[in-house]
């Protein structure tokens, strides 16, 4: 049962082949068996999951509910979950029990989806390897010496190891696509504003976007169908109708024009990763698509611009964790300043502190124009590059990550090398566009992900393009040995 897709499980539940309670019990057993090795979950909500499963079974028996009623998934531990610890991977929130559900969680609850637990992540979603988590690193099920990517590494590892058929993630600079690529699963970061950020703990508000991770594009479509939509509680939520993502999955792609940006295939791209990406593009040609070389001239500026904008926003967002209102408080503070400084000093890890300091510096009087304003100007140029590209092509393709999964500990002491993990994903966040990662093979025994970037609100097209590839290939059906 555990290696079935959400679509298959949904059909099984509808046909009465098994109950949600049976399915949930089977997955909880797997989590129990494998989480000690993988560390994919911070919290497992077994009792709540079984109660939700029984309620879902009753709903189905009464002829109610929808396609995902009774389907279990996991939530990245950045989404607030009522009555359940919501840690964001930080000591700062180790004692935080959320008093409400994020909109995304609320929507899944209403659809009868069962929550198995909360997945591990880089602290406050800052990282590309899930090694900055207060709860320790996650291991990649394809190779236990390797990182799963980050920051949604727990979600990616849980899905890849078949501990959950799907999971939520968030992507500020690549945190859905890069771990999806490194773990050989399918992930979608929607257009900025497509999915509500309400109750999703903020890292960099102008970049953060929630999305879905699963084993196939078809499953991601099912999850996005529930997550997407306008939310009056999120002022940046887009008032755009939500299309039927499943309806266009099988659309013909013979009229598709794919753009290959030369900046995504240059120096820094691992040769074996490049080969797998080229094979995938060749498959698209076989499916009838046209391929065109394009350029995104400002793409090389994405990382430096991001590492001004994201820390600037994080320094402001994380100011709320002061030891007063919620979160960690140091023992026996001497006075107010001591309370602030020791609570923050002890509650945050070093990567988070590095970014708060960079952000506070970049925003300070005298430096604001030189750094923050400049970065925002570059952001505009990057968006313009994409706008121009989409007048010529329908989608843009390239690697999701320049390398396959690296080893635990390999980059953790070298932040700049770590930052380069997102060299192909970050521009998409700066522009607010949707992007996917789809498994297209292996290099050095570790998975490779193809990135597919679309125009604003083109999620249906991306899912269609990914699905057609998955109809013609079986990379997405592979399960790591031992799981
Ligand atoms: N790795 C990038 C960072 O560290 C992106 C993280 C993310 O998308 N949340 O900021």
């Amino acid at each position: 049962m555990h290696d079935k897709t959400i679509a298959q499980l949904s059909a099984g539940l509808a046909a009465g082949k098994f109950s949600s309670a049976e399915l949930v019990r089977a997955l909880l057993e797997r989590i129990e068996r494998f989480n000690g090795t993988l560390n994919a979950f911070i919290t497992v909500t077994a009792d709540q999951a079984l109660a939700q499963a029984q309620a879902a079974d009753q709903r189905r028996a009464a002829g109610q509910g929808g396609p995902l009623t009774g389907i279990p998934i996991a939530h990245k531990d950045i989404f607030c979950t009522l009555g359940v610890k919501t840690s964001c991977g930080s000591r700062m929130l180790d004692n935080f029990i959320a008093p409400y559900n994020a909109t995304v969680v609320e929507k899944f609850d209403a659809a009868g989806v069962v929550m198995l637990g909360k997945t591990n992540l880089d602290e406050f979603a800052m990282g590309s390897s899930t090694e900055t988590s207060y709860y320790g690193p996650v291991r990649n099920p394809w190779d236990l010496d390797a990182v799963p990517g980050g920051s949604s590494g727990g979600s990616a590892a849980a899905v890849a190891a078949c501990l959950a058929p799907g999971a939520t993630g968030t992507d500020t600079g690549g945190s859905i696509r890069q771990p999806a690529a490194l773990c050989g699963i399918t992930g979608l970061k929607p257009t900025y504003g497509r999915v509500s950020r309400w109750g999703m703990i903020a890292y960099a508000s102008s970049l953060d976007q929630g999305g879905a991770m699963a084993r196939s594009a078809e499953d991601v479509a099912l999850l996005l169908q529930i997550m997407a939509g306008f939310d009056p509680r999120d002022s940046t939520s887009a008032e755009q109708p939500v299309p039927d993502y499943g309806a266009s999955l099988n659309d013909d792609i013979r009229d598709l024009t794919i753009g290959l940006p030369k900046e995504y295939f240059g120096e820094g791209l691992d040769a074996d990763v490049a080969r797998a990406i080229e094979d995938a593009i060749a498959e698209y040609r076989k499916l009838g698509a046209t391929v065109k070389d394009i350029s995104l001239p400002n793409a090389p500026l994405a990382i430096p611009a991001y590492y001004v904008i994201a820390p600037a926003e994080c320094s402001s967002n994380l100011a709320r964790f002061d030891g007063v209102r919620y979160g960690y408080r140091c023992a026996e503070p001497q006075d107010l300043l001591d309370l602030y400084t020791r609570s923050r000093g002890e509650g945050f890890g070093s990567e988070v502190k590095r970014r708060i300091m960079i952000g506070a510096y970049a925003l300070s009087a005298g430096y604001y124009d030189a750094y923050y304003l400049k970065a925002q100007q570059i952001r505009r140029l990057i968006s313009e590059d994409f706008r121009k590209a989409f007048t010529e092509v329908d989608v843009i393709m390239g690697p999701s990550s320049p390398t396959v999964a690296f080893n635990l500990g390999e980059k953790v002491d070298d932040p700049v090398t770590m930052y380069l993990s997102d060299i192909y994903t970050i521009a998409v966040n700066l522009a607010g566009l949707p992007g996917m990662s789809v498994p297209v093979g292996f290099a050095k025994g570790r998975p490779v992900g193809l990135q597919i970037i679309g125009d604003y609100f083109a999620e249906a097209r991306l899912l269609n393009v990914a699905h057609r590839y998955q109809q013609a290939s079986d990379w997405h059906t592979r399960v790591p040995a031992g799981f």
Side-chain angles (χ1 to χ4, degrees):
M1 214 154 27
H2 62 268
D3 57 349
K4 299 237 179 324
T5 64
I6 294 174
Q8 289 164 339
L9 292 171
S10 170
L13 287 172
K17 289 203 180 120
F18 45 83
S19 67
S20 172
E22 284 168 325
L23 172 60
V24 166
R25 236 175 268 126
L27 290 172
L28 287 171
E29 268 167 34
R30 285 182 66 77
I31 295 171
E32 172 100 29
R33 189 159 137 222
F34 293 115
N35 199 47
T37 308
L38 295 175
N39 200 24
F41 284 85
I42 292 174
T43 304
V44 180
T45 47
D47 294 344
Q48 180 178 320
L50 287 168
Q52 283 182 321
Q54 273 151 10
D57 284 333
Q58 279 164 12
R59 253 171 101 173
R60 280 201 181 256
Q64 291 158 357
L68 295 203
T69 300
I71 296 289
I73 66 165
H75 286 304
K76 183 175 182 179
D77 204 15
I78 195 168
F79 287 99
C80 285
T81 42
L82 174 69
V84 175
K85 171 161 132 171
T86 300
S87 73
C88 228
S90 181
R91 182 183 194 191
M92 184 56 88
L93 290 178
D94 183 47
N95 62 4
F96 178 62
I97 309 287
Y100 61 93
N101 277 325
T103 296
V104 162
V105 174
E106 207 171 67
K107 283 178 172 240
F108 277 118
D109 277 3
V113 172
V114 175
M115 175 174 82
L116 293 166
K118 309 288 298 287
T119 57
N120 205 347
L121 67 158
D122 280 297
E123 186 177 7
F124 285 101
M126 299 176 197
S128 306
S129 67
T130 318
E131 291 171 293
T132 72
S133 170
Y134 173 61
Y135 301 92
V138 175
R139 288 177 188 271
N140 189 320
W142 289 98
D143 186 334
L144 298 176
D145 292 332
V147 301
S151 63
S152 311
S155 288
V159 172
C162 303
L163 308 186
T168 52
T170 63
D171 191 312
T172 304
S175 278
I176 287 175
R177 290 159 289 158
Q178 187 256 15
L182 271 44
C183 287
I185 64 161
T186 308
L188 168 67
K189 175 209 110 64
T191 308
Y192 183 76
R194 177 72 296 183
V195 167
S196 169
R197 290 188 298 111
W198 196 77
M200 200 178 102
I201 296 172
Y203 158 20
S205 312
S206 76
L207 300 157
D208 297 341
Q209 183 59 205
M213 308 171 85
R215 285 197 287 279
S216 69
E218 185 183 19
D219 284 3
V220 169
L222 286 165
L223 296 173
L224 184 64
Q225 200 68 53
I226 292 173
M227 299 175 82
F230 175 64
D231 180 3
R233 293 177 296 193
D234 170 2
S235 61
T236 58
S237 168
E239 250 182 301
Q240 282 271 336
V242 179
D244 179 346
Y245 294 114
S248 49
L249 281 176
N250 284 302
D251 283 3
D252 209 322
I253 58 164
R254 273 177 297 185
D255 63 344
L256 184 78
T257 307
I258 300 169
L260 301 182
K262 71 170 192 289
E263 294 78 9
Y264 280 37
F265 292 89
E267 203 193 327
L269 176 61
D270 178 276
D272 296 323
V273 171
R275 215 164 298 131
I277 299 297
E278 279 153 21
D279 289 349
I281 307 284
E283 186 60 44
Y284 273 106
R285 283 187 211 265
K286 267 199 239 156
L287 293 170
T290 309
V291 177
K292 204 169 165 178
D293 289 325
I294 59 164
S295 174
L296 299 169
N298 294 292
L301 300 176
I303 295 234
Y306 174 90
Y307 279 100
V308 171
I309 294 168
E313 293 184 14
C314 109
S315 73
S316 160
N317 274 324
L318 271 58
R320 74 191 72 187
F321 303 109
D322 55 8
V324 176
R325 283 163 290 187
Y326 39 62
Y328 178 81
R329 178 180 295 180
C330 67
E332 294 170 33
Q334 303 304 304
D335 53 29
L336 187 62
L337 192 63
D338 186 45
L339 169 79
Y340 286 157
T341 51
R342 273 203 297 125
S343 297
R344 286 169 70 80
E346 294 164 15
F348 289 135
S350 56
E351 184 60 29
V352 171
K353 286 182 199 162
R354 172 166 25 243
R355 296 192 189 197
I356 291 173
M357 286 190 283
I358 293 172
Y361 178 83
L363 289 177
S364 56
Y367 293 112
Y368 179 89
D369 289 357
Y371 294 110
Y372 189 72
L373 206 64
K374 199 64 155 182
Q376 292 289 21
Q377 288 164 342
I378 291 169
R379 184 175 191 173
R380 171 65 62 88
L381 294 176
I382 288 170
S383 302
E384 272 299 299
D385 284 356
F386 281 114
R387 195 190 58 73
K388 280 190 205 125
F390 285 122
T391 62
E392 291 178 48
V393 301
D394 302 305
V395 295
I396 295 171
M397 289 189 187
S400 300
S401 161
T403 65
V404 291
F406 41 93
N407 284 342
L408 277 133
E410 194 179 320
K411 300 190 181 176
V412 80
D413 297 322
D414 184 354
V416 174
T417 310
M418 186 72 94
Y419 296 171
L420 291 172
S421 303
D422 296 306
I423 190 153
Y424 304 131
T425 49
I426 275 181
V428 174
N429 300 75
L430 289 169
L433 293 165
M436 274 191 90
S437 185
V438 177
V440 295
F442 292 83
K444 305 168 176 72
R446 296 177 183 180
V448 175
L450 170 75
Q451 185 176 204
I452 315 175
I453 304 165
D455 208 346
Y456 297 105
F457 299 100
E459 286 82 4
R461 189 59 161 159
L462 290 186
L463 290 162
N464 159 232
V465 169
H467 179 70
R468 291 305 296 243
Y469 176 84
Q470 292 185 333
Q471 297 292 90
S473 63
D474 69 354
W475 301 114
H476 64 294
T477 65
R478 310 275 175 108
V479 174
F483 293 95

